[in-house]
Structure formats: C-alpha cells, structure tokens
C-alpha cells in the first residue's frame, strides 16, 4: 500500500482509524474466501476491471500523517500502483488486487473491461461547483477568453440574429478581474443590439454588464439605491453605465425570466453529464436555493442523477434553511446515496478580481479600497452559528486576508460556544488570500480549505497588482496550508473556471497555466506533489464531505466510484508534468455503473 503523503494532517487520524482497520484487517481478502487460508471461490462480480495500474490511495500506517517536513522537496514520480484489478458488485467494490486473483470473480454474467495499462483511481470529486450554472452556460453566449469589449459585443450580435426581438440574450465569461480597470459600458452593446435586453455575466459571477434595454427591464435608473456590499457603476451625472459589481449584480440578474422547474432540472442534468464525461463521480453544489433543491430531489427520486451530488444549502434562502433545520442534516448510507444534504454555503466577502474581497489593508492598485464583507455582504453570524450547532457543515466563502481572518474568528467563536460543532468539519471555500499569521489556525481548528488550483493559473496575471509583492505570498498557498495541518479539498468553482481535471491537477503540481507559463511556476514554493494533488480531488475530498468511510479510496466495501485515465498521473516525473494535460478520460464509473466511456 502507498503510505507517502497519505493523510491531510494529524486531525484526521481518529476519524480514519475505522476505515484503516477495515482495509488492513481484511479489506484486501477476496469476498467468499477464508481470511486465514485464502481458499474458496470468489463471488461473481457485476463488473471486473483488469490490466490496470491501480492506485488504491489506501493508507498503510494510521499513525503517519504524511505531512511533509518544512524543507521537504517537492518532486514527483516516486510512487507505484498498488494493484492490477478491481471487482465490483451491487455498486460496491468487492475486491482489489492482482489480475490472477481477480479471475475468481469472473462469472458468466460479469462484464469485463480490460483497461490495457490505463490508470485506475478513486473517482474524482469537484468540491465546489455551481452545476446548474454549467448547464445554463452551455445555453449562453460564450465570452470566455474575449479580450475586448468589441469582441464580446460581436458575439452577442451574432446570437441576436436568431433570437426574436424583445427576448433576453444572456452571455457569460468576460473576465471581471482582468477588465477591472476598463469595465465596459452599455453604449456599444446598446447600439449594436438595440432590440433585445442583454445581460453578460462575468467569469466568476461578481460583475454583470447589460445594455440599456436590460437596465430598463430591471428598473435600474439614476435614482436606484446602491445595495450594501455592491456597486452600480455610474457616469459623471450619476446614471448607470451598464456594469454592476458584487451584491449589486442581483439588481440586473433578478430581471431575467424565472426558469421553470423542468428547465432547472434539464440544466442540472446537462451539467452533471458534462462532469461525468470529464471524469468526475461527484460534485459539491456550492449553494442550492429552494428551487434548485427541489430539482435535485426530483431527479434523485426518479433516478436521473448521473453522478453524486453533495448539496450545500444556500445561506441566503432563509425559508429553506428553517425547513432543513427541522429535518436535520442527512448522513450517507453504505448503499450509495446519489444526493446528500448536510451543509450550507455562505458568503463572507466578494471577489479579488473586482476588488470586493475584504482586505486588511488597501488594495495596492486602488488606494482607499479594501473590499466588502461580513454583515455588509449579507453574512449572518447568528444564522450560520445556529446551523453549525444543529449539525450542518458550513462552507464559508472567504477570499481576502481580512475576510479569512474574520471567518476564522467567527468559527473559533462558534467552536468555543459549541465544542461539539468541531465534528461538522467547517470549510472555508477558496481561502484565497490568507495572512501568514492566520495559516496555522486552519490546522489548530481542524478546518478544511476548499481551494481551486485553476484560480491561481488564471489570476496570476493581475493578482499581484491587487496585492503587491508581500501579500501575494499568502495567496493560493496550498503547500503552506497543508504544512499547517489544513485538509485540502480541490475544485474548479465552475462555471467560473475550467473544470477539466487535468488542468486542475497540472496547475496544482506546477503553478503554471496551459501554456506552461511562467517557466518554473508562479510562487512555486506552494506547489504540491502529484499524489497530493490527486488526493485533493479524491480521498481528501471524501473527508471534506464526511464520506471517508464510504469512498475516496479503492477497497472492498467502498462505493464503486472510479475514474480511469490513459496516463499515470501520480507516477509522472517532474520533468514531464505537461503530459498530465494530455491524459484522456477513458471511463467514469459511479456506483458500479459506467456513466462515461466505451460501451456505456
């Protein structure tokens, strides 16, 4: 078994002992055999995977936390696969071991897949997504990568040709961080597209841009009051220019037609199918209001969820939260739940790109501005504390160093009043800019840092302008947080970033973008090993959702959730990390069912 860098930190030892005991005491003994003699016929499997490079990611020594020493070199290519074959029955793993032993599980009705040397891993999990947004994005005008206002408007003009006058046109993907010093206005968009209301969401959802017809439909005028924690961009006469930032974005987005229940369900399924194709077996939905929860539950009841969903309730939907407090948090069952609801998503501050992240000191490129957060941004300490005391796991969005510090203070206070709430495993979503003095607090409180490797690759061109050369050292600090004992859970924050798992893994181990820039990596002291990066999307992701006894490693009795790739991600040498980007997702298996791959 692979025992290197295997546990997120000492705070996990007790929680994982039961799983370790299971794996080491008998988990690798074929079902149907005598554990003393190893004799007897194996039970016929439903699905048998053979000929693979299987990394179980199981741990051999529960007393070794695997956290690297402060001066440990960051290298790759030193790990070897544990097994060759996996047998699956009734949605659970039946056996993991050698190809020869696996033959005991081949029956007349067994489906056998020879993966021909491909890499078999515990299924990947994206721990922070907006999955309906992904489905919706696929319907919208794609603005990802546009560099000018003219280019973006041109794409809308092209779409307008096929849309009846008066109907909304929605786009998504212009980079509000990169455009922060040249936010677009309604002028060009209104001239080129005068007969449709147009709404263009920013890449990360913290800015929207509309034409004049859209502003009129939303009732946004010079007299419109700016909401707390937001900004309506205005001209010299006080008239809205067409761009709204942070909490003001709702003034425009709320004017869009309300989607039907069927539309929401269709968007969810479209998003989840795209995630399955990308190799994911589960997503953590970061914020679900009553309408989205209704869609998820309807799809679950009818068996239409293609992959698993760990749903975080929207911290802003008070009615939904009150209902869920009465029902209590859900716990997953060994049989294999597809929908689990035991957490809540709350926003503490805004985004770095739009200068909404709450900072301890002024933004380096905008003196006098420190962002917005806390109650000004709609965060309710009383409500989230009550949910934590009721057993719900909080996932608190915190970007700036002040946002993270105050979030840490809040969690610390709740744990002081309710020590039992430590068991809910509080998460800080993003933990993007953390003051060096606050990094050790993550480990001391046993917190999960739910972070996004793609953000570092995408933000590096302007992040240092916002923060300056000193504060940037606490940005996207994966290695520092891991060394401090934080549990790292990785994600894309889709649709705000590319959810391609290969992109996320490559960013985590290289601190470089798809163009392999910069040479040597950006702030390379914070990069991770390939195994750590994979664990951020597998075993540590499982822990972040209270699921480590059911999934995250490959062992008998665990959920049969697997991802199979053409290349060996963990064993890739450091001088060939770019090959990670070239790997192909061959199969995605959820509960023993092939949801993506040949012959599914």
């Amino acid at each position: 078994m692979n025992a290197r860098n295997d546990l997120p930190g000492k705070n996990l030892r007790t929680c994982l002992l039961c799983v370790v005991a299971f794996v080491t005491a008998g988990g690798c003994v074929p079902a149907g055999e005598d554990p003393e003699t190893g004799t007897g016929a194996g039970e016929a499997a439903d699905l048998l995977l053979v000929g693979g490079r299987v990394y179980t990611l199981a741990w051999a020594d529960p007393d070794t936390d695997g956290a690297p020493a402060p001066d440990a070199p960051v290298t790759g290519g030193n790990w070897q696969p544990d097994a060759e074959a996996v047998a699956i029955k009734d949605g659970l793993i039946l056996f993991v071991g050698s190809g020869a032993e696996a033959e005991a599980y081949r029956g007349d009705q067994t489906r056998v897949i020879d993966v021909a040397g491909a890499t078999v891993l515990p299924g990947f999990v994206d721990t922070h997504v907006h999955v309906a947004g992904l489905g919706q994005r696929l319907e919208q005008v794609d603005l990802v990568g546009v560099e000018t206002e003219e280019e973006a408007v041109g794409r809308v003009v092209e779409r307008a040709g096929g849309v009846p006058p008066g109907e909304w046109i929605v786009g998504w993907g212009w980079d509000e961080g990169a455009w922060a010093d040249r936010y677009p206005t309604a002028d060009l968009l209104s001239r080129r597209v005068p007969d449709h209301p147009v709404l263009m969401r920013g890449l990360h959802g913290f800015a929207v841009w509309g034409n004049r017809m859209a502003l009129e439909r939303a009732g946004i005028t010079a007299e419109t009051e700016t909401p707390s924690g937001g900004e309506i961009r205005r001209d010299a006469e006080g008239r809205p220019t067409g761009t709204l930032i942070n909490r003001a974005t709702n003034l425009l987005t709320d004017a869009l037609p309300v989607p039907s229940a069927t539309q929401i369900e269709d968007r969810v399924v479209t998003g989840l199918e795209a995630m399955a194709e990308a190799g994911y077996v589960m997503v953590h939905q970061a914020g679900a209001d009553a309408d989205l929860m209704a869609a998820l539950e309807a799809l679950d009841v009818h068996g239409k969820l293609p992959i698993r969903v760990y749903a975080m309730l929207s911290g802003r939907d008070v009615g939904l939260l009150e209902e869920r407090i009465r029902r209590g948090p859900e716990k997953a069952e060994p049989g294999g739940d597809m929908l689990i609801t035991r957490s809540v998503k709350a926003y503490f501050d805004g985004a770095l790109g739009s200068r909404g992240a709450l900072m301890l000191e002024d933004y380096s490129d905008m003196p006098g501005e420190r962002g917005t957060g806390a109650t000004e941004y709609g965060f309710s300490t009383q409500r989230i504390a009550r949910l934590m005391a009721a057993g719900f796991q909080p996932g608190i969005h915190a970007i700036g160093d002040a946002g993270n510090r105050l979030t840490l203070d809040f969690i610390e206070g709740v744990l002081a009043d309710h020590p039992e709430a430590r068991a809910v495993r509080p998460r800080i979503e993003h933990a993007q800019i953390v003051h060096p003095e606050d990094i050790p607090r993550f480990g001391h409180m046993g917190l999960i840092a739910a972070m996004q490797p793609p953000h570092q690759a995408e933000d590096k061109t302007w992040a240092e302008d916002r923060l300056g050369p000193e504060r940037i050292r606490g940005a996207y600090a994966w290695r520092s947080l891991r060394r401090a004992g934080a549990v790292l859970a990785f994600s894309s924050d889709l649709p705000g970033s590319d959810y391609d798992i290969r992109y996320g893994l490559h960013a985590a181990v290289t601190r470089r973008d798809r163009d392999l820039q910069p040479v040597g990596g950006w702030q390379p002291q914070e990069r991770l090993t390939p195994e750590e990066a994979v664990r951020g999307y597998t075993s540590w992701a499982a822990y972040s959702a209270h699921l480590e006894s059911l999934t995250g490693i490959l062992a008998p009795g665990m959920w049969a959730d697997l991802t199979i790739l053409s290349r060996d991600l963990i064993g890739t040498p450091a001088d060939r990390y770019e090959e990670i980007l070239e790997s192909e997702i061959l199969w995605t298996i959820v509960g023993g069912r092939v949801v993506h791959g040949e012959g599914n």
Side-chain angles (χ1 to χ4, degrees):
M1 294 292 184
N2 191 351
R4 298 188 52 150
N5 289 321
D6 46 10
L7 301 183
K10 292 181 174 64
N11 54 315
L12 293 186
R13 289 178 183 169
T14 302
C15 297
L16 296 175
L17 281 174
C18 60
V19 181
V20 174
F22 170 77
V23 175
T24 57
C28 290
V29 175
E33 289 194 359
D34 186 318
E36 297 295 328
T37 64
T39 60
E43 185 178 359
D46 298 325
L47 176 64
L48 189 62
L49 306 175
V50 298
R53 297 174 56 83
V54 180
Y55 287 92
T56 67
L57 296 188
W59 39 89
D61 183 0
D63 293 323
T64 300
D65 68 12
D71 58 350
V74 181
T75 58
N78 297 323
W79 304 280
Q80 297 297 319
D82 309 271
E84 300 169 323
V86 180
I88 295 167
K89 185 176 180 62
D90 296 331
L92 302 176
I93 294 176
L94 187 63
F95 162 84
V96 182
S98 71
E101 293 173 303
E103 288 303 308
Y105 301 92
R106 187 191 293 258
D108 292 341
Q109 303 301 314
T110 300
R111 178 183 179 184
V112 180
I113 299 178
D114 185 348
V115 302
T119 299
V120 181
L121 292 168
F124 289 124
V125 178
D126 191 317
T127 64
H128 186 115
V129 307
H130 306 280
V131 70
L134 174 59
Q136 185 180 23
R137 189 193 87 181
L138 298 175
E139 306 169 357
Q140 297 175 350
V141 180
D142 185 0
L143 304 175
V144 176
V146 297
E147 297 184 356
T148 66
E149 183 176 349
E150 291 75 13
E151 182 183 359
V153 172
R155 295 191 184 186
V156 178
V157 170
E158 184 177 351
R159 173 64 64 87
V163 178
E167 289 192 10
W168 282 85
I169 296 175
V170 179
W172 167 87
W174 62 278
D175 192 337
E176 65 264 49
W179 290 26
D181 295 321
R182 50 184 174 91
Y183 279 133
T185 71
D187 294 344
L188 179 63
L189 188 56
S190 299
R191 288 197 304 271
R192 298 288 308 278
V193 192
D195 299 324
H196 301 80
V198 180
L199 184 151
M200 318 265 267
R201 287 188 173 92
L203 182 65
H204 299 292
F206 290 91
V208 294
W209 162 30
N211 67 355
R212 291 195 183 93
M213 184 177 285
L215 296 175
E216 291 170 2
R217 290 274 184 98
I220 300 171
T221 68
E223 287 70 43
T224 300
E225 184 177 348
T226 300
S228 173
E231 178 187 359
I232 301 173
R233 302 278 290 183
R234 302 176 188 269
D235 62 20
E237 284 73 41
R239 296 170 299 195
T241 65
T243 302
L244 300 90
I245 302 170
N246 293 318
R247 294 197 73 196
T249 59
N250 292 338
L251 295 175
L252 190 53
T253 58
D254 286 350
L256 289 172
V258 176
S260 67
T262 299
Q263 285 178 309
I264 297 174
E265 290 178 21
D266 289 345
R267 289 171 179 176
V268 169
V269 171
T270 297
L272 293 178
E273 287 176 344
M275 295 301 286
E277 186 175 349
Y280 294 97
V281 301
M282 177 185 288
V283 297
H284 296 185
Q285 167 61 37
D289 62 13
D291 290 339
L292 181 53
M293 281 306 307
L296 289 169
E297 290 177 333
L299 292 169
D300 185 36
V301 166
H302 293 97
K304 294 182 178 180
L305 290 174
I307 65 175
R308 302 185 199 274
V309 178
Y310 183 77
M312 305 182 202
L313 305 170
S314 171
R316 293 173 175 168
D317 193 329
V318 179
L320 175 65
L321 296 179
E322 290 298 324
E323 174 202 345
R324 292 294 172 151
I325 286 176
R326 290 191 293 270
R327 290 169 55 175
E330 298 175 357
K331 294 185 178 180
E333 301 296 333
D337 298 61
M338 295 300 290
L339 176 63
I340 303 164
T341 309
R342 62 172 303 160
S343 59
V344 59
K345 163 73 182 301
Y347 287 90
F348 196 91
D349 66 351
L352 184 67
S354 58
R355 300 187 185 88
L358 192 62
M359 303 302 298
L360 294 168
E361 299 177 1
D362 294 355
Y363 278 89
S364 297
D365 58 356
M366 186 174 283
E369 179 59 60
R370 294 194 178 186
T372 182
T375 54
E376 184 181 49
Y377 204 67
F379 183 81
S380 172
T381 56
Q382 183 179 10
R383 185 182 307 138
I384 301 305
R386 183 169 165 236
L387 283 154
M388 290 176 65
F392 285 86
Q393 177 188 46
I396 302 176
H397 165 116
I399 299 286
D401 53 10
N404 276 282
R405 176 169 292 179
L406 292 173
T407 297
L408 290 166
D409 291 345
F410 164 72
I411 294 173
E412 191 172 52
V414 175
L415 296 183
D417 294 337
H418 302 279
E420 72 281 5
R422 187 182 181 102
V424 304
R425 302 181 187 173
R427 295 171 43 154
I428 295 185
E429 307 297 313
H430 310 301
Q432 199 162 313
I433 318 297
V434 183
H435 192 283
E437 294 178 3
D438 292 321
I439 287 176
R441 300 175 68 189
F442 281 76
H444 295 160
M445 286 189 277
L447 303 185
I448 294 161
M451 306 180 76
Q452 296 75 36
H455 282 182
Q456 168 271 325
E458 294 159 358
D459 298 353
K460 61 179 170 30
T461 56
W462 49 260
E464 190 164 344
D465 292 338
R466 302 284 188 279
L467 302 174
E470 293 301 319
R471 285 185 294 184
I472 199 68
R473 295 176 184 174
Y476 321 89
W478 314 320
R479 168 63 60 206
S480 296
L481 284 162
R482 167 142 168 73
R483 187 177 295 132
V487 181
L488 301 183
F490 282 160
S491 64
S492 64
D493 192 17
L494 72 83
S497 292
D498 191 337
Y499 55 89
D500 187 334
I501 185 66
R502 301 164 299 183
Y503 173 48
L505 291 167
H506 180 264
V509 300
T510 67
R511 308 277 292 193
R512 302 168 78 184
D513 59 24
R514 287 186 183 276
D515 296 326
L516 309 182
Q517 296 299 316
V519 175
W522 186 71
Q523 301 291 323
Q525 72 277 5
E526 295 295 344
R527 64 184 184 266
L528 300 174
T529 67
E531 183 183 358
E532 288 172 317
V534 169
R535 285 190 182 279
Y537 290 100
T538 56
S539 59
W540 299 348
Y543 178 83
S544 75
H546 298 263
L547 296 174
E548 72 278 5
S549 65
L550 298 172
T551 188
I553 65 172
L554 301 181
M558 306 294 269
W559 288 347
D561 294 355
L562 305 92
T563 306
I564 304 172
L565 305 98
S566 62
R567 293 178 182 266
D568 185 351
L569 304 183
I570 293 179
T572 301
D575 61 352
R576 290 165 48 194
Y577 279 161
E578 68 275 7
E579 293 181 6
I580 293 174
L581 294 169
E582 301 167 5
S583 185
E584 181 183 354
I585 307 297
L586 300 177
W587 287 277
T588 307
I589 299 172
V590 180
R593 184 170 61 93
V594 178
V595 295
H596 165 69
E598 183 180 356
N600 68 307

